[in-house]
Amino acid sequence: MTEALIELENVKYVYPDGVEALKGISLKVLKGERLAILGPNGAGKSTLVMHLNGLYSPKEGTVKVWNMPINDKNVHEIRRTVGIVFQNPDDQLFCPTLWEDVAFGPLNMGLSMKEVEVRVEEALGVMGLTGLEERAPHHLSLGERKRAAIATVLAMKPRVLVLDEPTANLDPRSRRGLIELLNNVHKVEGTTLVIATHDMDLAFQLTDRAYVLKAGSIITEGLMLEVLLNSKLLSDVGLETPTMAYITKR
């Protein structure tokens, strides 16, 4: 049986204004898998993502990473294990140069400068950003900033890479390139991927299993193709069947 790296049980979360964002979420992220968390805007995807490494704490329920509860004692180790890439790359790029942004995490892990340099070089290479080390992040294109934000997390060598709407606002070429790079990260590094998205073509190309959220609750879970070909389910949730799934169905 495949090992569960992350496990949520009956997780509930309420924002300070009283909005109940998660209503008893239970799910597992399995070692080495490519998992999608699907749902329309407002379904609770981003809130759920923030629970996967302790950025948010549930009002009720439990979150475990490698069977460890997230608490003050182990939260730093857990955040090295589970890296989150936010929807807006500018939330993760704040240094004068790209090199400094990617080096920030490894430096704060207490690694030697030699090891930091190796990790930065590797992460930039994987994301196709070699040669842009001295570029100011705000001078990069949106697609480059998206890849740079991922590089800042990859440099910490997480076992699980979580991405919140990674293709949001990207043009088709940048989108295709990002999908290829993420597939390569999974294939070469063996990194477990968790993708929160309403981009159904992305989900079809990049993931194998899915949970579907609606209004803070999981309404189904299953293999990706089975979920995507359930047009009634997707319509009820407010998602579109991807064009690639239609082609496969024919």
Side-chain angles (χ1 to χ4, degrees):
M1 184 176 179
T2 305
E3 181 182 9
L5 291 184
I6 306 174
E7 187 168 1
L8 279 65
E9 185 173 349
N10 197 34
V11 167
K12 299 181 181 180
Y13 185 81
V14 179
Y15 280 102
D17 62 3
V19 173
E20 189 177 13
L22 300 179
K23 304 172 183 177
I25 298 291
S26 296
L27 61 77
K28 293 181 179 181
V29 179
L30 305 179
K31 182 179 180 181
E33 77 170 333
R34 302 182 302 169
L35 177 69
I37 299 173
L38 304 175
N41 291 333
K45 301 189 302 298
S46 294
T47 304
L48 174 56
V49 160
M50 296 298 184
H51 282 77
L52 298 184
N53 73 352
L55 290 175
Y56 285 5
S57 298
K59 180 181 179 182
E60 297 181 23
T62 59
V63 180
K64 293 182 178 180
V65 177
W66 270 16
N67 209 34
M68 295 186 299
I70 299 176
N71 53 38
D72 291 342
K73 181 180 179 180
N74 58 32
V75 68
H76 293 296
E77 180 62 29
I78 283 172
R79 288 177 183 168
R80 295 179 186 180
T81 300
V82 182
I84 295 179
V85 181
F86 303 131
Q87 179 174 341
N88 183 355
D90 296 333
D91 291 339
Q92 287 175 267
L93 302 172
F94 47 80
C95 293
T97 68
L98 175 57
W99 193 96
E100 291 171 281
D101 267 319
V102 180
F104 183 85
L107 284 170
N108 279 274
M109 292 169 65
L111 301 178
S112 68
M113 182 55 68
K114 182 178 181 179
E115 177 63 19
V116 170
E117 290 173 350
V118 169
R119 290 199 178 197
V120 171
E121 181 180 357
E122 288 179 350
L124 291 175
V126 168
M127 285 292 105
L129 296 169
T130 300
L132 301 180
E133 291 84 354
E134 299 305 314
R135 187 79 62 85
H138 65 273
H139 288 161
L140 300 174
S141 69
L142 176 59
E144 289 169 336
R145 295 202 307 278
K146 290 266 192 180
R147 287 184 276 134
I150 297 171
T152 67
V153 177
L154 288 181
M156 299 177 70
K157 294 191 178 296
R159 295 181 181 271
V160 184
L161 180 63
V162 183
L163 301 106
D164 187 11
E165 296 289 1
T167 56
N169 302 315
L170 288 183
D171 61 67
R173 181 178 180 181
S174 296
R175 183 180 171 283
R176 288 193 300 270
L178 183 58
I179 290 171
E180 182 179 343
L181 289 169
L182 290 174
N183 268 322
N184 192 57
V185 167
H186 173 76
K187 181 178 180 180
V188 175
E189 304 293 334
T191 307
T192 301
L193 296 181
V194 180
I195 314 292
T197 187
H198 63 258
D199 181 342
M200 306 306 285
D201 281 315
L202 165 72
F204 182 63
Q205 296 174 70
L206 195 54
T207 61
D208 305 304
R209 190 169 70 91
Y211 289 93
V212 181
L213 269 63
K214 181 179 181 181
S217 298
I218 292 175
I219 61 170
T220 194
E221 176 267 334
L223 296 177
M224 175 54 63
L225 190 57
E226 294 173 355
V227 171
L228 295 184
L229 290 176
N230 189 337
S231 56
K232 183 180 185 306
L233 168 72
L234 297 181
S235 178
D236 289 344
V237 174
L239 297 170
E240 295 184 353
T241 303
T243 53
M244 294 187 71
Y246 273 127
I247 294 170
T248 301
K249 191 173 183 180
R250 290 174 183 170

